[in-house]
Amino acid sequence: MMVNKSGWTRTLGLALMFSAASAHAEQGEVPEGYRVAQQVLVGDGSVLEVLEDLRITPQMHADSWGSALDADSFDASADLENHPLLEAQARLIADSGEVLAQKDLGYPLATVEKAPINGLPAPAFFLTIDMTAPMGSYSGPATEVLVPAQNQLDPLRYLAETGEKRPLVLAETGKAAWKVVPANDSATESIQQVSSAPAPQGEDFVTTYRTYRYVDGQWQVASRQQPGYWENESEFPQPSAFP
């Protein structure tokens, strides 16, 4: 059975959202203007945190996710004109309370959750940053695959077909989607992604199908393209479409 990332991410994400790991609730001094929106245990005693502007309530986060945070959601006391919204931050906190890594995420909303991917040397997590713009179909949540025990808050890198190492970031937009696919003949799940974009020349579209697999100790990608158009309102492509 194929796992639909879009479905389980919102279900699992909302279930975890704004709940703190009680044993670590007091860890790490929270920067001024922020609140701890989410905490997820990594497994080695450390914690992944998402910090958001304290003016963004949990309900506002849920209502705005995937549709762009609207200034009309705030009342006058928020004073956005003089104090613009702070961008979300991700932090990795040690069991001792030490901040091991911290980074700005560039947008106000983000979530973190354990990735349903087995067979890796260390647990993987999905850090999703909501990059949705008010208009257009090429923006939306972008998910970085993290392995904190190895790379802290740097995205996992995969081996591209060109031989380059690139960050593993998965887009969910009006013209892109992805899924985690259960393992068949291996111990590790793979990831399929589909995306459409205008062809380099002319007015036609081209659709790209990618499969990310964990092979010989590293993530690799295989891809193929074909003329045509795919949008997120359609059903996710059949497995046979992916290399």
Side-chain angles (χ1 to χ4, degrees):
M1 178 179 176
M2 187 173 294
V3 179
N4 187 325
K5 192 271 173 189
S6 300
W8 64 253
T9 290
R10 298 313 304 151
T11 301
L12 177 60
L14 289 175
L16 292 173
M17 187 61 58
F18 313 113
S19 63
S22 59
H24 300 266
E26 73 283 359
Q27 289 187 350
E29 182 178 350
V30 178
E32 183 178 359
Y34 284 94
R35 65 181 176 83
V36 178
Q38 192 180 5
Q39 291 182 317
V40 177
L41 293 172
V42 171
D44 59 355
S46 61
V47 171
L48 272 174
E49 286 187 345
V50 169
L51 307 182
E52 290 183 345
D53 191 303
L54 57 79
R55 292 168 290 182
I56 302 173
T57 66
Q59 188 61 52
M60 191 182 300
H61 174 112
D63 292 343
S64 302
W65 186 269
S67 59
L69 190 62
D70 191 342
D72 292 338
S73 301
F74 299 88
D75 59 30
S77 65
D79 192 16
L80 296 182
E81 182 175 352
N82 294 313
H83 301 282
L85 280 177
L86 300 170
E87 59 190 69
Q89 294 185 4
R91 302 199 304 179
L92 181 63
I93 310 292
D95 187 53
S96 64
E98 178 188 0
V99 179
L100 301 174
Q102 181 170 345
K103 70 175 181 179
D104 295 330
L105 302 181
Y107 295 82
L109 303 179
T111 66
V112 66
E113 61 198 271
K114 182 135 182 347
I117 300 176
N118 301 297
L120 301 178
F125 294 80
F126 290 148
L127 173 64
T128 303
I129 305 162
D130 190 358
M131 300 182 180
T132 307
M135 298 183 65
S137 59
Y138 288 98
S139 68
T143 298
E144 300 180 359
V145 182
L146 308 181
V147 181
Q150 296 179 335
N151 309 102
Q152 295 194 337
L153 295 179
D154 292 329
L156 194 71
R157 290 184 173 268
Y158 69 93
L159 182 65
E161 291 163 307
T162 59
E164 300 174 277
K165 288 289 190 74
R166 296 177 182 173
L168 184 45
V169 181
L170 304 161
E172 186 82 22
T173 74
K175 294 181 175 63
W178 59 278
K179 288 183 177 182
V180 175
V181 182
N184 291 323
D185 55 355
S186 67
T188 305
E189 289 77 3
S190 59
I191 301 172
Q192 293 176 342
Q193 181 168 38
V194 57
S195 60
S196 285
Q201 296 180 345
E203 299 180 357
D204 294 331
F205 276 77
V206 63
T207 296
T208 303
Y209 303 89
R210 297 182 178 89
T211 301
Y212 299 91
R213 297 182 177 91
Y214 187 71
V215 180
D216 296 332
Q218 66 179 347
W219 284 90
Q220 302 178 13
V221 67
S223 67
R224 75 175 189 87
Q225 290 185 328
Q226 69 178 37
Y229 177 82
W230 183 89
E231 58 184 354
N232 213 332
E233 295 180 355
S234 306
E235 291 187 8
F236 197 83
Q238 294 297 313
S240 58
F242 295 88

